[in-house]
Amino acid sequence: MKIFLDTANIEAIKKYLELGIVDGITTNPSLLLKEKSRDPIDLMRNIVKLVDGPVSLEIVAIDFEEIIEESLKLANYGDNVVVKIPMSSVGLKAINFLTKKNIKTNVTLIFSANQALLAAKAGATYVSPFIGRLDDIGHDGLTLISDIVQIFTNYDITTQVLVASIRHPIHVIESAKLGADVVTLPPEILQKMIYHTLTDKGLDVFLADWGKLKKENPNLQF
Ligand code: E4P
């Protein structure tokens, strides 16, 4: 399963890229807004340059012609750009158009298996079901992932299931068990995945015991 970072924060992106565990990035206007001191266009361009893998950049137009215009501009930022398009009729039309031009798309704000199926039929590279927002209103986001994975498997659909709106590490484990292609995570969730209290406690003991060995043999070294 691929891991994307769901952030527009350059420092976080650099930090986790260095660990070799991040395959791509997803952004949206709300994430750009969080980076208040940075020009959003510069920020998007910088992220595209910094990252080897796919970077999703979201359009904000509603009208078809404008969606295409924005999409073509964003696609020009780099070969690794994936144009993020909110689910709608006009969005599907745009995905169909962009797919024929070999431009990759990520269909965002997916809340039903029907929406995912239609986005895939239109040619989407990724569909982004938002599981946390479904959980927030008392639905079960992971059931949606299970449905989409099953449908895509039944028909050999190559559109990738990109699990979005992840709220905690258990969402990641369950998405992986269900066979999702990608999860996109806020940096805090990735950090929680790295950490385990028993790892820290175990390390303290190993270091203390090495200290004891060193006391017995002051010349001890690797
Ligand atoms: C990713 O593509 C989405 O924009 C993001 O995961 C949404 O997450 P949120 O529901 O926490 O805003």
Side-chain angles (χ1 to χ4, degrees):
M1 185 177 64
K2 280 171 268 184
I3 293 181
F4 290 178
L5 263 190
D6 196 27
T7 186
N9 185 281
I10 292 278
E11 289 70 33
I13 292 171
K14 282 184 183 163
K15 174 178 169 183
Y16 290 103
L17 275 180
E18 280 181 353
L19 305 191
I21 54 178
V22 171
D23 302 294
I25 305 291
T26 53
T27 65
N28 65 35
S30 309
L31 293 170
L32 290 168
L33 178 69
K34 280 192 189 169
E35 307 305 313
K36 287 195 189 312
S37 56
R38 315 240 179 158
D39 174 78
I41 306 299
D42 279 352
L43 199 47
M44 287 192 281
R45 285 184 181 276
N46 284 340
I47 295 170
V48 168
K49 277 200 199 111
L50 193 63
V51 180
D52 251 350
V55 176
S56 288
L57 304 177
E58 190 161 336
I59 55 99
V60 290
I62 304 293
D63 164 82
F64 177 74
E65 305 297 337
E66 285 177 20
I67 292 179
I68 299 304
E69 195 185 322
E70 285 185 3
S71 299
L72 296 178
K73 279 185 186 165
L74 289 176
N76 249 331
Y77 290 4
D79 291 343
N80 52 339
V81 169
V82 177
V83 180
K84 205 174 182 190
I85 299 186
M87 176 66 194
S88 71
S89 294
V90 72
L92 291 173
K93 187 174 164 186
I95 291 152
N96 181 37
F97 180 94
L98 294 167
T99 303
K100 287 179 179 148
K101 291 203 166 301
N102 285 323
I103 292 175
K104 292 194 168 70
T105 54
N106 172 0
V107 186
T108 189
L109 293 169
I110 293 281
F111 291 98
S112 77
N114 278 328
Q115 289 181 321
L117 179 59
L118 296 177
K121 283 195 75 79
T125 316
Y126 302 94
V127 286
S128 286
F130 278 33
I131 63 171
R133 293 194 196 183
L134 278 171
D135 291 355
D136 289 345
I137 61 159
H139 291 232
D140 180 6
L142 286 165
T143 299
L144 175 59
I145 302 307
S146 167
D147 288 348
I148 298 173
V149 169
Q150 186 184 342
I151 292 166
F152 284 12
T153 305
N154 284 351
Y155 296 100
D156 293 328
I157 290 170
T158 54
T159 300
Q160 296 183 51
V161 181
L162 192 169
V163 183
S165 186
I166 283 184
R167 299 273 193 266
H168 48 75
I170 302 291
H171 271 155
V172 180
I173 294 171
E174 293 304 323
S175 297
K177 280 157 68 178
L178 291 169
D181 300 284
V182 191
V183 286
T184 189
L185 308 172
E188 315 82 69
I189 308 284
L190 192 51
Q191 191 55 42
K192 282 185 184 167
M193 288 169 66
I194 294 170
Y195 176 81
H196 198 290
T197 184
L198 291 179
T199 306
D200 278 12
K201 280 187 183 155
L203 181 60
D204 285 348
V205 173
F206 288 152
L207 294 181
D209 287 347
W210 184 257
K212 288 175 198 163
L213 287 168
K214 230 178 154 173
K215 257 192 185 160
E216 287 166 18
N217 177 4
N219 296 327
L220 186 66
Q221 59 181 356
F222 291 125

